[in-house]
Amino acid sequence: MTETQLGPFAGPTSPHWRRTRLLSIGTRSTTDFEDRGATSIPQEPNDTTFLNRVNRSITFYGSTISMPTMRTQLASTAQRRSTVVGGLPHTHELFPPGHVSPRSLRARSSSFFRRSIAYDAPMNGTTDFPDDDNEAAKANGIRVWYSSFSSIDWLHDAIKDSNRIFKLRKRTSLRGRIRNAIDRSVGWIVVTIIGILAAVLAFMIVRSEQLLFDLKEGHCTGSWYKAKRFCCPVGPPSTLIGTEEDACDAWETWDKFFKDHLGVDGWFVEYITFAMIALCLALVSALLTVNFTASTSFVGKKDSGVLSPSFPQSTYPKAHTSSLTGGIPRKVIYFAAGSGIPEVKTILSGFVIHGYLGGRTLAVKTIGLALSVASGLSLGKEGPLVHISACVGNIISRYFPKYETNEGKRREILSAASAAGVAVAFGAPIGGVLFSLEEVSYFFPAKVMWRSFFCAIVAAVTLRFLDPFGTGKLVLFQVSYDKDWHAFELGFFVIIGVFGGVYGAYFSKMNFWWAKNVRGKTWLGKHPIFEVLLITSVTTAFCFLNPYTRLGGTELVYNLFAECHKGDFNEGLCASQSSEIQPLITAIGIAMIVKGMLTVVTFGIKLPAGIFIPTLGVGACFGRIVGLTVQYLQWERPSLGMFKACNGDRFCIIPGVYAMVGATAALSGVTRTTVSLAVIMVELTDTLTYVVPIMISVLVAKTVADALEPKGIYDLCIELIELPYLDGKMEHLWGGLQAGDAAVREVDAIYLERPNTVRQLRDQLQSVVSAGYGDGGLPILQQESGGSKMIGYIGVSELEHALTIVADDADAICQFYPAVGPSHDDVTSISSSYREFNNGPDLFDFTMYMDHAPLSVSTHAPLELVQQFFVKLGARYVVVTSSSGFFEGVIDKKHWVAFLDELDARRRQ
């Protein structure tokens, strides 16, 4: 790090170094240690500061905790002001190369005069002073980078982008117009790259999964790298199971291989080979996930020196307690595990999880997904493709300053990337846009919808050219039907919808119960690798003998969707006479039960796993059973009045249509998606003929599921891992509660009448973080007759950054000035921090970090108003004032989510 990188507008430095700087305040001058070449600070035995205290009374994942606990912590820690620091393990990187004291930094004017609206950007040496046009923007204060497990400030990011656009539009020269054109085109360039890369990764995953899945049964003698469908190009690769076309001389099964080479024969040889390969695939996927994507292993420069997880080894996979978090344990989650949609949904709502959309997670998720799906576990790849596309969107957008320095703008790109993920998963670009709007995205303006559609189209077209299945289709189970549905079938479609709702509700309940009480409270939770091996063993044992459960998820869904015509073979899922239907229904029913139960225990294990395909499979099985039952009735009782519409056609009932409707109903019951799911299924069938049955099943399924369980599977996952997701769709009963009832009144504050030294502010920072208030900040108050008047608010990250710069002068007084117009000469204006000295800014003037205009609400305001502040305006915090305008308390987003959880829990009692 160069000398010019230490200043108010500098990019992030090492969290280790920042933490050490904070610990060194008040011990002795850090410059003395630098001159002596010291690498550590003497440690005192009687250390009681928060940075060195371990308190295991709170367990949370940077998210929600109960309001009574929070208030108790705030009240008990607000009075602790220790000034003796020591007793912690210090890093050897006490001072970055080229470190200089803050007093000498004033002489380096050209290093700091970056625009106040910028954060998380390297120094570029510009000497532009902030102009008066930016005065309104500066009233919101500058922001440094967002630490992990914190919420973004949507309002600040919107103001910053508005000011950036204002400056661009002011340029009327040729160069200015060119820059404006480039700025407008950046978004389209980004989504184009994302769409192409998302399709390429999907192609690689599909091809790898096909090869590895077929490897469990045999290999291609001519080309070992080919899956069975490409090794045996006899007929279409996606034919129904059980047909004569399964025979292929180029494909050698393992039982034949061992018989020819070792003289060993029998079904047990085939089963052992099948099981061992499946176990190896699942094991490698789980090892990659657990060893490379644990949340405690992701540490970057943006992490806070007092909030981020500690970097030494932890006892995996127990709750991780960090000295940097004041002993507040965080649950260890694995970024590549699961579908990723709940976490992506939370990130898009404004929560920051560094590393979750990074390159390491992308690599492990891509490789692990191909392995886990190929193992034959009851899981799918469609959900994880959304996470993978979001990773691509995050990585690509970071190469463009427009999105790198604005978290709010970056989430627009992530919304488009999520749409591309669904587009490559289902071959449904329109459905992908609607899924992003309905289920994933939190902020979705019109321009984001247009870019999301463009990104999804690019992804779908690219995947179409790559042709992963060799069939010319985007997805394997893309089908078409040549017959229309009949009015008498609507009643059966309603029955299927009821089943989808019941299944979705109770599946969500059982999966949540299993994850919370079995996986979370037994030895399975402490040994996730063993859990993966156990479930894989059970899966192979149950699925090996049944021809339908043995199929891959997409192959099963395709065969259930497929339409049978005259002349089709009797084997498989086609029946030519009524006597063949009953055993077929029995086999499908067993497959449905096995798939359903295995999915309950599989979803949530520590490897990449989606929920779409297993749910589609269970619903399609039930729908196929209903369709075969109706077909049986038609063949046995053709004289029934409802079958007059068939006009003697024995094949007017298409069981595949019932399977498609059942799959739609089940997925709607599990995920609670409606419009997007209906459009996805319509795009899959390439026709609008069956849009009415699909819509009816979706409406019935969601209605029944909501009545039995208000939350879908993704919302329950968010609740399980305690992510602070604020659901704007939920309705709350406020009763007679007002804003003052939700405010945290015991919050620590900075008073202008006190000597706010660097040491004092450091201790206040520690106190606030120890109380679990690290996502908020400190109000800046001025005592007046009748109460305390609020003049501003400073966030924890901004205060940490500012104190790190001035840590050499522990007893120096830091200044906070009220905001007044620049024309007033008697009081410092907002711009004073930039112009205090001729040779540079006054680093002890923290006015530049203050939010002079925080959102405020009266203590008597209804809680619905506060809810709209957080949901519609994207506020990070709301200040509560009395009717006289005096400070009463503050509500930040995390505390608001905790308050809503407590409120809803009381209502249910």
Side-chain angles (χ1 to χ4, degrees), residues 305-360:
V306 293
L307 291 175
S308 60
S310 65
F311 314 136
Q313 67 277 6
S314 61
T315 305
Y316 148 81
K318 298 178 181 179
H320 176 74
T321 303
S322 166
S323 61
L324 293 178
T325 60
I328 302 176
R330 285 187 179 138
K331 291 182 179 178
V332 177
I333 65 172
Y334 302 96
F335 289 172
S339 69
I341 292 181
E343 290 82 358
V344 172
K345 186 176 180 179
T346 305
I347 290 173
L348 290 179
S349 73
F351 193 58
V352 178
I353 309 178
H354 291 314
Y356 195 84
L357 301 179
R360 196 202 317 173

Side-chain angles (χ1 to χ4, degrees), residues 152 154 340-353 356-357 386 390-391 393-394 407-419 435-444 448 452 718 723-726 871 874 893:
I152 71 170
W154 288 93
I341 292 181
E343 290 82 358
V344 172
K345 186 176 180 179
T346 305
I347 290 173
L348 290 179
S349 73
F351 193 58
V352 178
I353 309 178
Y356 195 84
L357 301 179
V386 176
C391 290
N394 178 68
E407 291 286 347
K409 292 290 293 182
R410 192 187 304 174
R411 275 149 180 77
E412 297 179 4
I413 298 299
L414 297 181
S415 295
S418 300
F435 183 85
S436 179
L437 169 63
E438 180 180 3
E439 182 64 25
V440 180
S441 298
Y442 199 81
F443 176 68
F444 207 82
V448 175
S452 299
I718 291 174
L723 293 175
Y725 178 73
L726 179 59
V871 173
K893 189 174 181 179

Side-chain angles (χ1 to χ4, degrees), residues 19-335:
R19 176 171 175 266
T20 305
R21 292 274 292 173
L22 294 175
L23 287 170
S24 68
I25 296 175
T27 54
R28 64 183 67 181
S29 175
T30 56
T31 53
D32 294 338
F33 286 94
E34 180 187 16
D35 295 337
R36 290 159 45 189
T39 58
S40 63
I41 297 176
Q43 301 179 4
E44 301 291 342
N46 60 340
D47 170 51
T48 57
T49 58
F50 164 67
L51 287 177
N52 298 287
R53 190 176 64 253
V54 177
N55 176 10
R56 301 178 183 269
S57 61
I58 306 177
T59 301
F60 80 116
Y61 171 58
S63 56
T64 56
I65 56 178
S66 64
M67 294 300 294
T69 303
M70 174 62 64
R71 287 167 178 162
T72 302
Q73 290 288 322
L74 284 166
S76 61
T77 58
Q79 298 177 355
R80 289 196 279 260
R81 294 290 183 270
S82 175
T83 57
V84 181
V85 183
L88 275 182
H90 294 273
T91 63
H92 293 290
E93 189 188 3
L94 181 60
F95 305 102
H99 166 72
V100 291
S101 66
R103 296 296 183 186
S104 64
L105 286 171
R106 292 174 180 167
R108 307 182 182 273
S109 59
S110 62
S111 300
F112 302 113
F113 291 111
R114 292 178 55 81
R115 296 174 177 85
S116 62
I117 55 172
Y119 65 84
D120 192 23
M123 301 304 297
N124 62 4
T126 179
T127 57
D128 295 336
F129 284 82
D131 51 70
D132 292 338
D133 292 334
N134 296 333
E135 198 70 28
K138 292 195 291 289
N140 192 237
I142 68 168
R143 297 289 188 275
V144 298
W145 50 92
Y146 292 108
S147 299
S148 201
F149 314 119
S150 63
S151 302
I152 71 170
D153 192 337
W154 288 93
L155 287 174
H156 173 82
D157 289 345
I159 293 171
K160 183 169 67 172
D161 189 63
S162 175
N163 198 41
R164 182 190 65 82
I165 295 175
F166 174 74
K167 291 182 177 180
L168 281 175
R169 301 300 182 263
K170 284 177 61 178
R171 299 174 180 265
T172 58
S173 63
L174 177 60
R175 183 179 178 183
R177 289 195 295 269
I178 293 176
R179 292 188 62 179
N180 273 277
I182 294 175
D183 180 74
R184 289 188 175 97
S185 62
V186 163
W188 299 101
I189 295 173
V190 170
V191 297
T192 301
I193 298 174
I194 292 171
I196 294 173
L197 292 181
V200 171
L201 289 176
F203 170 79
M204 295 170 58
I205 291 171
V206 170
R207 284 294 178 92
S208 302
E209 174 261 323
Q210 290 174 350
L211 172 62
L212 296 174
F213 185 89
D214 292 339
L215 191 64
K216 294 183 299 182
E217 299 186 355
H219 67 285
C220 187
T221 56
S223 304
W224 62 268
Y225 54 87
K226 288 186 178 180
K228 184 177 181 179
R229 69 178 62 255
F230 299 106
C231 181
C232 304
V234 181
S238 54
T239 54
L240 295 175
I241 61 172
T243 64
E244 296 177 353
E245 297 172 357
D246 283 343
C248 174
D249 294 335
W251 183 260
E252 184 180 30
T253 60
W254 291 119
D255 58 340
K256 183 178 183 300
F257 174 84
F258 285 110
K259 180 179 180 180
D260 295 342
H261 292 80
L262 301 178
V264 181
D265 193 13
W267 66 268
F268 64 91
V269 175
E270 184 181 1
Y271 171 72
I272 292 175
T273 308
F274 182 90
M276 292 301 297
I277 295 177
L279 286 170
C280 290
L281 295 174
L283 176 61
V284 174
S285 179
L287 289 174
L288 288 174
T289 301
V290 170
N291 293 325
F292 291 98
T293 64
S295 57
T296 51
S297 67
F298 287 84
V299 178
K301 289 186 176 181
K302 293 182 180 180
D303 285 311
S304 170
V306 293
L307 291 175
S308 60
S310 65
F311 314 136
Q313 67 277 6
S314 61
T315 305
Y316 148 81
K318 298 178 181 179
H320 176 74
T321 303
S322 166
S323 61
L324 293 178
T325 60
I328 302 176
R330 285 187 179 138
K331 291 182 179 178
V332 177
I333 65 172
Y334 302 96
F335 289 172

Side-chain angles (χ1 to χ4, degrees), residues 583-877:
L584 190 56
I585 289 177
T586 302
I588 296 175
I590 294 174
M592 179 184 68
I593 295 174
V594 171
K595 280 286 186 182
M597 297 305 297
L598 288 176
T599 306
V600 169
V601 299
T602 302
F603 186 67
I605 60 177
K606 300 304 181 286
L607 45 72
I611 195 65
F612 283 0
I613 288 299
T615 304
L616 290 174
V618 172
C621 285
F622 181 82
R624 190 87 184 188
I625 291 174
V626 174
L628 289 171
T629 303
V630 177
Q631 191 176 56
Y632 178 84
L633 289 175
Q634 186 214 358
W635 288 353
E636 291 294 317
R637 303 290 180 86
S639 60
L640 290 178
M642 64 179 180
F643 295 125
K644 290 182 179 180
C646 293
N647 296 322
D649 183 7
R650 292 188 73 244
F651 293 93
C652 74
I653 303 298
I654 305 177
V657 172
Y658 289 78
M660 180 190 65
V661 173
T664 307
L667 189 56
S668 177
V670 171
T671 63
R672 309 302 163 85
T673 51
T674 54
V675 178
S676 61
L677 179 58
V679 173
I680 288 173
M681 300 308 293
V682 168
E683 290 184 272
L684 282 176
T685 58
D686 287 334
T687 179
L688 291 174
T689 304
Y690 296 96
V691 65
V692 173
I694 290 174
M695 292 175 63
I696 289 176
S697 66
V698 167
L699 291 174
V700 174
K702 178 170 172 55
T703 302
V704 173
D706 285 341
L708 298 175
E709 169 56 53
K711 293 184 178 181
I713 187 65
Y714 296 137
D715 293 326
L716 289 175
C717 289
I718 291 174
E719 179 181 340
L720 183 66
I721 56 181
E722 301 174 358
L723 293 175
Y725 178 73
L726 179 59
D727 191 355
K729 303 173 186 176
M730 291 288 293
E731 295 181 357
H732 304 278
L733 301 178
W734 309 112
L737 297 176
Q738 297 176 335
D741 299 312
V744 179
R745 299 177 182 273
E746 297 86 4
V747 62
D748 206 344
I750 298 173
Y751 290 90
L752 297 186
E753 292 75 17
R754 299 175 182 174
N756 296 303
T757 63
V758 173
R759 187 204 313 266
Q760 175 73 13
L761 291 176
R762 191 278 311 271
D763 293 339
Q764 286 189 266
L765 174 66
Q766 297 170 357
S767 175
V768 170
V769 175
S770 68
Y773 204 64
D775 194 35
L778 289 84
I780 302 168
L781 307 178
Q782 187 174 34
Q783 291 286 356
E784 295 184 4
S785 58
S788 299
K789 200 77 171 181
M790 185 170 183
I791 68 166
Y793 192 88
I794 185 170
V796 165
S797 297
E798 285 71 40
L799 183 58
E800 177 192 340
H801 175 64
L803 291 175
T804 302
I805 298 173
V806 298
D808 298 321
D809 299 88
D811 297 323
I813 297 178
C814 303
Q815 301 296 336
F816 301 88
Y817 294 107
V820 295
S823 59
H824 295 74
D825 297 328
D826 53 338
V827 184
T828 307
S829 71
I830 300 171
S831 302
S832 65
S833 298
Y834 305 93
R835 304 174 179 175
E836 182 77 17
F837 293 88
N838 294 329
N839 293 326
D842 180 6
L843 299 179
F844 294 90
D845 184 354
F846 290 178
T847 306
M848 70 178 77
Y849 302 103
M850 292 170 51
D851 182 0
H852 293 82
L855 279 179
S856 302
V857 66
S858 172
T859 186
H860 303 296
L863 288 180
E864 181 62 29
L865 178 61
V866 180
Q867 170 77 344
Q868 296 305 318
F869 275 4
F870 284 109
V871 173
K872 299 294 179 61
L873 298 182
R876 192 182 187 186
Y877 47 83

Side-chain angles (χ1 to χ4, degrees), residues 398-702:
R398 293 182 67 94
Y399 286 96
F400 299 85
K402 178 179 178 179
Y403 301 107
E404 161 66 3
T405 61
N406 194 308
E407 291 286 347
K409 292 290 293 182
R410 192 187 304 174
R411 275 149 180 77
E412 297 179 4
I413 298 299
L414 297 181
S415 295
S418 300
V422 178
V424 297
F426 292 101
I430 300 176
V433 176
L434 294 177
F435 183 85
S436 179
L437 169 63
E438 180 180 3
E439 182 64 25
V440 180
S441 298
Y442 199 81
F443 176 68
F444 207 82
K447 68 175 180 179
V448 175
M449 178 177 291
W450 177 227
R451 286 182 180 174
S452 299
F453 181 63
F454 181 78
C455 186
I457 287 291
V458 171
V461 171
T462 304
L463 190 64
R464 175 65 179 81
F465 281 115
L466 294 174
D467 194 12
F469 298 100
T471 61
K473 298 179 180 180
L474 294 177
V475 290
L476 181 62
F477 48 88
Q478 186 173 349
V479 295
S480 60
Y481 304 109
D482 57 5
K483 295 181 181 180
D484 203 346
W485 56 278
H486 306 282
F488 70 86
E489 294 179 293
L490 289 177
F492 298 106
F493 295 149
V494 171
I495 294 174
I496 294 174
V498 172
F499 167 81
V502 173
Y503 170 77
Y506 283 99
F507 169 83
S508 301
K509 287 177 179 288
M510 289 188 293
N511 181 261
F512 182 80
W513 177 87
W514 178 271
K516 184 176 182 180
N517 298 292
V518 178
R519 182 177 296 123
K521 297 181 180 180
T522 64
W523 56 271
L524 284 178
K526 300 177 181 179
H527 304 87
I529 302 295
F530 184 81
E531 180 189 17
V532 171
L533 295 177
L534 178 62
I535 293 178
T536 305
S537 301
V538 173
T539 301
T540 55
F542 276 95
C543 296
F544 180 76
L545 298 178
N546 189 299
Y548 305 119
T549 55
R550 190 171 176 176
L551 284 174
T554 53
E555 287 82 0
L556 175 63
V557 172
Y558 170 78
N559 285 283
L560 291 169
F561 281 9
E563 180 180 2
C564 296
H565 300 279
K566 291 182 180 180
D568 285 341
F569 296 101
N570 294 337
E571 296 86 3
L573 293 168
C574 294
S576 60
Q577 54 187 1
S578 58
S579 60
E580 300 169 351
I581 292 180
Q582 183 176 355
L584 190 56
I585 289 177
T586 302
I588 296 175
I590 294 174
M592 179 184 68
I593 295 174
V594 171
K595 280 286 186 182
M597 297 305 297
L598 288 176
T599 306
V600 169
V601 299
T602 302
F603 186 67
I605 60 177
K606 300 304 181 286
L607 45 72
I611 195 65
F612 283 0
I613 288 299
T615 304
L616 290 174
V618 172
C621 285
F622 181 82
R624 190 87 184 188
I625 291 174
V626 174
L628 289 171
T629 303
V630 177
Q631 191 176 56
Y632 178 84
L633 289 175
Q634 186 214 358
W635 288 353
E636 291 294 317
R637 303 290 180 86
S639 60
L640 290 178
M642 64 179 180
F643 295 125
K644 290 182 179 180
C646 293
N647 296 322
D649 183 7
R650 292 188 73 244
F651 293 93
C652 74
I653 303 298
I654 305 177
V657 172
Y658 289 78
M660 180 190 65
V661 173
T664 307
L667 189 56
S668 177
V670 171
T671 63
R672 309 302 163 85
T673 51
T674 54
V675 178
S676 61
L677 179 58
V679 173
I680 288 173
M681 300 308 293
V682 168
E683 290 184 272
L684 282 176
T685 58
D686 287 334
T687 179
L688 291 174
T689 304
Y690 296 96
V691 65
V692 173
I694 290 174
M695 292 175 63
I696 289 176
S697 66
V698 167
L699 291 174
V700 174
K702 178 170 172 55

